[in-house]
Amino acid sequence: MTRLARWIAILVAVLVAGCAGPKETIVLLPSPAGQETAVTVTQGTRQVVLAQPYAGARLSRSSAEAFPSNAQEVQVRYGSALAAQPLPPARFTLFFVEGKDEFTDESKLIVDSVFAEIAKRPIPDVIVIGHTDSVGNDAANDVLSRQRAEVVRAAFAARGLAADKVVTVGRGKRELAVPTGDGVAEPRNRRVEILVR
Amino acid sequence: MTKTFSRPLGRGLAVVAAALWLSFPALADVGQIKVATGQVFVDRKGQSLPGRVGLVLEADDVLRTGADGSVGITMRDNSLLSAGPNSILSLERFEFDATTGDGRFDARLQRGTLAVTSGRIAKKSPQAMTVRTPSAVLGVRGTEFVVAVDD
């Protein structure tokens, strides 16, 4: 009888532990100044919003509670995951002569920095994003922005960067670096962004 | 009457479908492994591939790390995800239009630890990126955060 009771107690303990299910923890990290940042944690009808650096949420199947975490706790628990984060993309900008797909002389120097960054990364891939100023319609600017990106790809290929490591994108006049009205010839908007990843 | 209406409608839908398909052409290249240490595997279509640095990832891939493993990936929209030891991370859905920034990214952490830096998809639309755990859905609004799921 005592043995049976003991077995029942063990069985109950196992079942209770099983019902508790996996424990989950979420912690919001600080992000670069000025950037809006938040994570919403939704579990059925419960919701916890993490909006401050190191705000945390602990979940089991039947509960969700907010708790304050800190840098030290995060490092202990998530150190390996954080150490495996890839380097964020490095960004460069090249500028173009108005209405053409040639880059300015100053921009030729920036190309050297791009290649230095590529050399630093174990498995580099490059995204080249062309932009235009607001002169002309979308269709023409989409084509021109893509052409500018292709010019950069070709220039990089000539310096030995395999074309299959480069993805080109034309964003036309959708993302002006310097906001202007429509139809404004603004040199700082005639640019190509380069992301080395 | 029905015919004269349905034919142009059908053609219109076909055009819309073609446009949608064209706007998400890169289904087979959603990201790349940039960092890998210890044991890392990628489960794809019933096969288990070694998760080496440089491997190009596809939607539906499941990344698994061993007791000594960790893996870091860069997605097409510049999202960065990295998992610590004993983790299972699924890339359930990834669609991204590089021209407009529109897209959809759903990942799932079944076990282990995960660090996330969100990218353009979450920046463009705060509803467009989620990370799921066994019991919850995390909505991402331009953010860095960490997640742990214990057994």
Side-chain angles (χ1 to χ4, degrees):
Chain A
M1 187 62 198
T2 46
R3 187 181 283 183
L4 180 62
R6 194 181 302 156
W7 278 110
I8 288 170
I10 289 170
L11 187 63
V12 167
V14 167
L15 284 175
V16 167
C19 287
K23 288 262 196 311
E24 302 167 16
T25 314
I26 300 105
V27 179
L28 185 68
L29 300 183
S31 62
Q35 271 186 26
E36 201 187 325
T37 173
V39 170
T40 57
V41 180
T42 308
Q43 189 188 42
T45 53
R46 283 185 289 269
Q47 189 173 65
V48 178
V49 179
L50 310 178
Q52 298 298 320
Y54 299 112
R58 269 195 207 104
L59 313 176
S60 71
R61 197 171 294 172
S62 54
S63 70
E65 55 164 19
F67 77 100
S69 187
N70 57 60
Q72 211 177 353
E73 261 180 37
V74 165
Q75 195 51 44
V76 169
R77 190 73 200 282
Y78 304 94
S80 319
L82 287 165
Q85 276 268 298
L87 286 175
R91 290 169 190 274
F92 302 89
T93 309
L94 304 179
F95 293 94
F96 278 75
V97 178
E98 185 177 356
K100 295 195 178 173
D101 58 14
E102 282 169 30
F103 36 89
T104 60
D105 290 339
E106 297 82 358
S107 293
K108 289 171 189 163
L109 296 173
I110 298 171
V111 177
D112 294 336
S113 336
V114 173
F115 276 81
E117 185 65 39
I118 290 169
K120 265 196 250 169
R121 299 190 177 226
I123 299 283
D125 74 280
V126 177
I127 300 185
V128 177
I129 305 158
H131 300 273
T132 65
D133 61 24
S134 61
V135 176
N137 62 29
D138 267 332
N141 281 319
D142 284 358
V143 171
L144 179 59
S145 61
R146 183 69 185 266
Q147 277 171 359
R148 285 174 173 165
E150 288 295 339
V151 166
V152 171
R153 192 219 298 259
F156 286 6
R159 282 187 61 158
L161 180 65
D164 68 357
K165 295 231 182 251
V166 182
V167 172
T168 57
V169 179
R171 244 172 241 164
K173 58 178 174 181
R174 288 177 190 78
E175 270 176 36
L176 301 176
V178 178
T180 68
D182 206 33
V184 176
E186 168 54 62
R188 286 169 292 173
N189 286 333
R190 295 192 291 268
R191 69 203 196 278
V192 167
E193 280 179 279
I194 294 153
L195 302 186
V196 180
R197 314 193 310 160
Chain B
M1 211 40 195
T2 326
K3 254 184 186 165
T4 54
F5 270 105
S6 65
R7 203 174 288 163
L9 179 64
R11 199 177 300 157
L13 286 176
V15 169
V16 168
L20 282 175
W21 185 79
L22 282 174
S23 66
F24 299 117
L27 292 176
D29 173 5
V30 304
Q32 189 178 41
I33 295 182
K34 296 287 190 183
V35 177
T37 57
Q39 282 201 311
V40 179
F41 297 99
V42 175
D43 295 337
R44 177 181 300 166
K45 297 186 182 95
Q47 283 193 306
S48 185
L49 314 170
R52 288 200 196 92
V53 169
L55 182 74
V56 171
L57 298 166
E58 300 179 5
D60 272 343
D61 280 355
V62 178
L63 292 96
R64 287 187 294 119
T65 58
D68 63 343
S70 66
V71 65
I73 65 179
T74 299
M75 302 299 286
R76 287 288 305 274
D77 75 324
N78 298 325
S79 302
L80 310 175
L81 279 74
S82 54
N86 295 317
S87 298
I88 304 177
L89 172 67
S90 314
L91 307 177
E92 296 197 322
R93 182 172 170 194
F94 187 90
E95 293 158 0
F96 179 54
D97 180 332
T99 299
T100 63
D102 292 322
R104 177 83 217 177
F105 184 16
D106 298 312
R108 181 183 294 271
L109 183 70
Q110 284 160 262
R111 193 175 83 186
T113 52
L114 173 70
V116 177
T117 304
S118 62
R120 278 194 81 216
I121 290 174
K123 197 173 175 186
K124 176 78 190 263
S125 166
Q127 283 86 42
M129 179 176 178
T130 65
V131 175
R132 282 154 206 270
T133 65
S135 82
V137 180
L138 315 184
V140 181
R141 301 180 191 158
T143 285
E144 295 177 36
F145 62 99
V146 287
V147 188
V149 175
D150 299 338
D151 279 329

